[in-house]
Amino acid sequence: MIYVTQPSMPPLEEFVEYLEKIWESKYLTNNGQFHQELEKALCEHLGVKYISLFSNGTLALISALQTLRITGEVITTPFSFVATTHALHWNGIKPVFVDIEPETFNLNANKIEAAITPKTTAILPVHVYGNPCNVDKIQQIADTYGLKVIYDACHAFGVNINGNSVLNFGDLSVLSFHATKVYNTFEGGAIICHDAATKKRIDFLKNFGFADELTVVAPGINAKMNEVQAAFGLLQLKYVDEAIAKRAMVAKRYRESLKGIPGIHFLEDIENVSPVHSYFPILIAPQSFGKSRDDVYNLLKQNNIYSRRYFYPLISQFPTYKAYESAQSSNLPIAESIAKQVLCLPIYPDLEIEQQNRIVYLIKQR
Ligand SMILES: *Cc1c(COP(=O)(O)O)cnc(C)c1O
């Protein structure tokens, strides 16, 4: 069995040492020692000022919208994991879908202005596959119209633009540390912000709104990361650079072996961006390739290789969202076209060369 991704596990003995400390202290959650250590370590590792850890990325997204009191309408992308739009729905916010760029599959900044109405309060773009959005243009629009920007950066752990973390753009950025991501804490997530007052509000919100023993300042939720997750995060952090380097080798081999095949297209690394290779998407154009994306998906599946059609169906096609005017096909031609062609191939640090050769061999089968 080969799945689209597989976590790389740190040495078990090292994790047991952490667990022994948790057993000794009997301090299991609520901003414990490892939680505090991990926040510090991640700020340093990522090059960001403030981070608040969460039990998962979805609750971090929901809480990020609460933090800035976002209401009304929010402009977002249909080409993402469904949790991006669900977070709006759970806040009673209307998602307004805008089409994506054919080059990066990210929200097309040039199409944002036309979607702004008097009810628009924010933009929620996604750095899809870790490729940064057009952050300068998006900020310029946000400044002009007085909008907030919250990035779903769940694919963008460790991504830098000219050496500066992509997480430093926008008002807030949200990470997921789910088991399938480049860096994981089993389940987990985080919000990155740029000032101490905002961090304080985020930390209240993830703990029921408690400011102190007797004071509840907001209708918060329970979204705290526990000590076992935080300890695993500290351990994973030691190995994450090595894991990203191994992913880069897998990506390089895919590019070499799939280069020049008519009907197969893949994304190149972007200049001045340090990639982390969260995913390896290819586009399959059935006319020139001779087989459809689903043909390739099924052939791989018959051979116990599970690729994923990220992101198909588009979020705008799910029942909760498909009635919105902005969800109509005519508004999202690029997203619909990419969703039909895209296939994410298995990529993870321990993917063996022989396994990868077999995947490429099967793709090339006529
Ligand atoms: C994984 C992911 C999420 C959700 O994160 P969880 O930690 O699984 O809740 C949200 N958005 C995107 C783009 C993701 O990839």
Side-chain angles (χ1 to χ4, degrees):
M1 247 28 142
I2 298 178
Y3 293 103
V4 73
T5 189
Q6 180 184 285
S8 46
M9 302 303 280
L12 183 57
E13 319 80 71
E14 293 188 30
F15 190 43
V16 170
E17 285 175 31
Y18 280 99
L19 291 179
E20 283 170 353
K21 287 191 187 138
I22 293 171
W23 257 246
E24 256 165 53
S25 74
K26 299 184 172 62
Y27 201 103
L28 307 184
T29 186
N30 287 65
N31 200 26
Q33 180 197 336
F34 292 136
H35 185 283
Q36 291 177 32
E37 275 179 37
L38 183 58
E39 285 196 344
K40 239 185 244 141
L42 281 171
C43 279
E44 242 167 69
H45 182 92
L46 296 168
V48 301
K49 253 184 156 162
Y50 297 96
I51 193 166
S52 294
L53 299 174
F54 276 74
S55 50
N56 62 62
T58 303
L59 283 168
L61 274 171
I62 289 172
S63 304
L65 292 159
Q66 283 281 324
T67 300
L68 302 180
R69 299 178 176 276
I70 305 301
T71 57
E73 296 178 5
V74 169
I75 290 169
T76 191
T77 172
F79 194 78
S80 180
F81 182 61
V82 69
T84 310
T85 309
H86 281 353
L88 295 171
H89 190 86
W90 275 70
N91 276 289
I93 295 163
K94 178 180 171 185
V96 175
F97 297 109
V98 161
D99 207 2
I100 61 173
E101 300 173 342
E103 298 84 15
T104 61
F105 314 163
N106 286 332
L107 183 67
N108 190 333
N110 294 319
K111 297 196 170 165
I112 291 174
E113 277 185 276
I116 296 174
T117 77
K119 289 186 180 153
T120 310
T121 57
I123 309 169
L124 176 60
V126 181
H127 302 298
V128 179
Y129 312 132
N131 291 323
C133 294
N134 188 345
V135 288
D136 293 334
K137 173 90 190 178
I138 289 170
Q139 192 58 54
Q140 189 198 321
I141 295 167
D143 291 343
T144 303
Y145 291 87
L147 307 176
K148 301 288 187 191
V149 180
I150 299 174
Y151 282 106
D152 179 336
C154 287
H155 301 174
F157 182 95
V159 174
N160 293 318
I161 309 175
N162 288 317
N164 178 22
S165 172
V166 74
L167 306 170
N168 288 323
F169 293 90
D171 294 285
L172 301 174
S173 289
V174 174
L175 290 171
S176 164
F177 304 147
H178 183 255
T180 56
K181 306 298 205 276
V182 165
Y183 167 83
N184 86 81
T185 58
F186 286 49
E187 296 261 7
I191 302 179
I192 286 83
C193 67
H194 316 309
D195 64 90
T198 306
K199 155 114 174 115
K200 204 164 160 185
R201 173 160 169 79
I202 296 167
D203 288 344
F204 293 163
L205 283 172
K206 74 176 188 189
N207 188 29
F208 310 97
F210 277 110
D212 62 44
E213 210 180 307
L214 301 178
T215 318
V216 173
V217 293
I221 199 162
N222 182 3
K224 302 186 298 295
M225 177 179 278
N226 68 48
E227 284 293 277
V228 177
Q229 288 171 288
F232 193 74
L234 281 167
L235 187 50
Q236 283 286 71
L237 206 50
K238 276 171 58 181
Y239 300 97
V240 70
D241 285 340
E242 186 185 325
I244 290 170
K246 284 184 180 170
R247 283 173 175 273
M249 275 156 49
V250 175
K252 185 163 174 273
R253 288 201 295 267
Y254 272 135
R255 284 180 178 145
E256 282 164 5
S257 50
L258 295 171
K259 199 168 52 193
I261 301 177
I264 296 218
H265 173 78
F266 46 79
L267 300 178
E268 294 294 346
D269 291 342
I270 300 170
E271 220 181 289
N272 304 325
V273 172
S274 67
V276 293
H277 305 286
S278 327
Y279 300 85
F280 195 86
I282 61 171
L283 296 184
I284 301 172
Q287 305 291 12
S288 30
F289 186 60
K291 279 193 300 187
S292 72
R293 182 271 312 272
D294 287 345
D295 292 338
V296 177
Y297 168 82
N298 286 318
L299 178 68
L300 291 173
K301 192 168 155 186
Q302 282 154 21
N303 286 275
N304 291 326
I305 297 162
Y306 294 88
S307 59
R308 291 298 296 263
R309 288 165 283 191
Y310 289 144
F311 290 99
Y312 166 85
L314 294 175
I315 301 175
S316 48
Q317 287 165 348
F318 291 120
T320 316
Y321 306 116
K322 70 179 183 193
Y324 287 121
E325 203 179 309
S326 68
Q328 303 315 302
S329 295
S330 54
N331 187 46
L332 307 168
I334 307 294
E336 298 229 338
S337 153
I338 303 291
K340 271 184 223 149
Q341 297 177 59
V342 74
L343 191 66
C344 285
L345 303 180
I347 183 165
Y348 49 89
D350 302 325
L351 184 67
E352 289 162 18
I353 295 183
E354 298 75 43
Q355 294 175 316
Q356 205 182 348
N357 287 343
R358 173 132 182 87
I359 294 165
V360 171
Y361 168 82
L362 289 167
I363 293 170
K364 287 179 173 171
Q365 286 286 302
R366 295 290 157 144

